[in-house]
Amino acid sequence: MSTQLIFERVAVRPRSARARMVAALGPLTMLGGVAWAFLQPYRLTLLHPHGEGFWWLLVEPPVLAVGVGVAFALLIAPGLIEDLEEP
């Protein structure tokens, strides 16, 4: 038995500088949040909660910065990049 596989070549255009910058904003924000957590570990009460509730632990500035970076990278950036790459 013989099967033929058909491959389509899709023309891949390189991204513009603007599209690369938009794509980098999410990961850079996440990296900033992680760096913030390492540079100021006393900001994370996850290390010593002292009777704090769940919401207090969840709403820490470095954790929020990482969450915003993830949300931007997954939800907002793909649409912006698509709009920037339209001819």
Side-chain angles (χ1 to χ4, degrees):
M1 249 203 243
S2 173
T3 57
Q4 295 178 347
L5 300 175
I6 299 173
F7 292 100
E8 286 187 28
R9 287 200 167 222
V10 177
V12 178
R13 293 187 339 216
R15 285 187 174 172
S16 66
R18 285 183 180 177
R20 284 193 303 265
M21 289 300 292
V22 168
L25 284 175
L28 285 175
T29 305
M30 290 182 269
L31 181 65
V34 171
W36 187 3
F38 278 111
L39 292 174
Q40 295 180 341
Y42 55 87
R43 286 224 181 247
L44 291 175
T45 56
L46 294 172
L47 302 176
H48 49 84
H50 297 298
E52 301 296 342
F54 172 73
W55 292 109
W56 181 266
L57 299 176
L58 184 67
V59 185
E60 292 294 326
V63 176
L64 288 177
V66 172
V68 166
V70 169
F72 183 84
L74 295 178
L75 302 175
I76 298 170
L80 287 175
I81 292 170
E82 184 179 322
D83 287 346
L84 286 173
E85 291 181 344
E86 286 181 357

